[in-house]
Amino acid sequence: MQSKQNSLRIGILGGGITGLASAFYLLRAGHQVTILEARPQLGGLATHFDFGSFHWDKFYHCILTSDAPLLELIDELGLTPELRWTETKVGFFTLGRLHSMTTSLDFLRFPALSLWEKFRLGVGILYAARIQDGLALEQEPIEPWLVRIFGEGVYKKMWEPLLKCKLGEARKQTSASFIWATIRRLYSTREKGASKKECLGYVRGGYRTVFFRLVEKIQEMGGHIMTSVPVEEMRSTRNRGVSVSCGPLKMDFDCVISTVPSSALAKLTPELSAEYRAKLDAIQYMGMVCAVMVLKRKLTPYYCTNITQDLPFTGVIEMTNLISTEETNGRHLVYLPKYTSPGDPLFNATDDDVWQKFHAALKQVVPDLADDDIEQCFIFRERLVQPIPVLNYSGIVPDMESSVEHLLVANTTQIVNSTLNNNEMVKIARKAAAMVEQIAEEEAGFWPRRAGNGQSVPTKINSGPYVLPAATTTRSSSWHKSRKA
Ligand SMILES: Cc1cc2nc3c(=O)[nH]c(=O)nc-3n(C[C@H](O)[C@H](O)[C@H](O)COP(=O)(O)OP(=O)(O)OC[C@H]3O[C@@H](n4cnc5c(N)ncnc54)[C@H](O)[C@@H]3O)c2cc1C
């Protein structure tokens, strides 16, 4: 680790990509860092899962050619040679059938829209993708904007069912900037290269490889990683630091970066001002219930199948149409995600009930799927996933500097005018690290504690260095059912 005169002791809440990337940048800048993660396994929403004969991301992830800060981090970790890029195909389940929507010819053949509607859709997408700043769109509700840009027919036949699927009732509060950001992100995958085809990437081994390398680098630079430490309370200390406690464990830091969801942060920080707390509490999240299948056969030719009919899941993501089946021991890996409100009864339904519902609907999409083709299935749930970009969202986003001195917030709610993705989180991690640097410089004369003054960063409570587990223990929210059993 680089030795540094004004090295601060930084605590980071959360061991997902934002926490680990922030730690990486701060250690590189010469600070002392301790990461506190509530769960036994690092990775947060991008963590991996042991699917039996292989490991892969618990939720599906892809990388875009336009994800510059994320690709830079991957490069800094020495993982660029492990990147793989694939031309992927897009499908639509419309009018009771699967349709390809990959090439211009597919688009012309698409049966759900008239020629005029296709023209409106094409021109509308080109127009939306060229809007540079989505800030003005934050004031427009999503529905009238889509009708204005694409026409009533395209809205009713395409956008409305897609919005119902992706946002449910939350679509009524969501601003047009959400759909603009989604179109722009997807369009950016086709911008590079002459073919204008969709090209998506992944790191060999999935995000597990990225987290392994981040952990290695963090530990090499002297960072501390503590897992199974759900922080319960944070308070300011007399010397302008932040004290963090979890049961009997108590640690003092000069500065803390919280990457945990805003509602969780509000609960564990009693000293927040009423105004700042109100901002944290104002953010609403969509949750995720996702069925994951390990199959003996390929299901569709598409990486992503969009659904414009009323089905219990939001889409079909066939991961092995992006990643090689060498990654999955020859099996096919398919996710059936459902974005929904955290109060959806699906969160309390039994895994069997969720599966029955999803399985019956999947039979409509792929009627020839035999029970014997399904080797295993799993249900994963997370209640706080996607902050809802409501009207004037940037006005309600809490500042990165909270009302508690030296407590910074760097979580997914800080994404403005973009979609939830790791590229945005790497940008936010960089911003948080830069803010710590600024604090360290501005207040250099103040800090009473410095590296080597006898008050070192607390040692790990876990024995030995943190090791990413080879196999995950099944958490109560996940369920593993062997179809053979
Ligand atoms: C279904 C799905 C698909 C996705 N697809 C993509 C994709 O294709 N491409 C892409 O780039 N991104 C994708 N994402 C988004 C990506 O997963 C997120 O951007 C990223 O994981 C967010 O990371 P984070 O570190 O900010 O938050 P999290 O991953 O939520 O990490 C926060 C951490 O804080 C911990 N924590 C909570 N409370 C406490 C506490 N009290 N004390 C200590 N620790 C605590 C949590 O356990 C968690 O590990 C997807 C997400 C989902 C759910």
Side-chain angles (χ1 to χ4, degrees), residues 34-213:
T34 300
I35 296 164
L36 305 154
E37 165 56 47
R39 296 179 178 179
Q41 183 169 299
L42 294 172
L45 293 174
T47 201
H48 66 97
F49 186 77
D50 176 5
F51 286 99
S53 55
F54 63 95
H55 293 261
W56 198 257
D57 299 358
K58 187 172 155 189
F59 298 110
Y60 49 94
H61 287 84
C62 64
I63 299 172
L64 272 53
T65 47
S66 52
D67 282 346
L70 175 62
L71 290 169
E72 270 169 41
L73 175 66
I74 288 170
D75 196 49
E76 286 164 325
L77 296 173
L79 290 174
T80 299
E82 301 303 313
L83 273 168
R84 299 287 178 272
W85 297 99
T86 310
E87 265 182 24
T88 46
K89 294 184 177 143
V90 182
F92 264 77
F93 182 66
T94 297
L95 304 175
R97 280 192 49 216
L98 273 173
H99 304 274
S100 180
M101 192 60 128
T102 311
T103 62
S104 309
L105 196 60
D106 294 336
F107 183 62
L108 288 173
R109 284 184 184 144
F110 189 62
L113 300 177
S114 67
L115 208 57
W116 171 244
E117 287 165 342
K118 284 174 192 165
F119 176 74
R120 292 281 321 249
L121 180 60
V123 171
I125 287 187
L126 283 177
Y127 168 77
R130 272 162 180 68
I131 298 174
Q132 293 297 321
D133 184 4
L135 212 62
L137 298 179
E138 278 197 342
Q139 284 148 39
E140 286 206 50
I142 206 162
E143 180 184 333
W145 185 78
L146 283 170
V147 172
R148 189 154 54 78
I149 303 299
F150 295 95
E152 185 75 29
V154 178
Y155 176 74
K156 282 280 168 217
K157 292 177 192 170
M158 294 271 297
W159 290 115
E160 191 178 46
L162 286 174
L163 289 180
K164 276 187 185 164
C165 227
K166 181 102 180 159
L167 293 169
E169 284 303 297
R171 72 187 185 280
K172 292 172 188 156
Q173 307 156 49
T174 306
S175 79
S177 111
F178 170 79
I179 208 77
W180 163 78
T182 307
I183 292 172
R184 214 172 139 72
R185 182 163 166 81
L186 293 178
Y187 193 77
S188 72
T189 64
R190 292 176 183 244
E191 271 178 337
K192 289 198 177 162
S195 66
K196 299 269 177 201
K197 288 185 177 157
E198 180 175 277
C199 186
L200 300 176
Y202 65 99
V203 173
R204 231 154 51 93
Y207 267 95
R208 183 167 178 257
T209 305
V210 177
F211 287 120
F212 257 117
R213 189 57 66 85

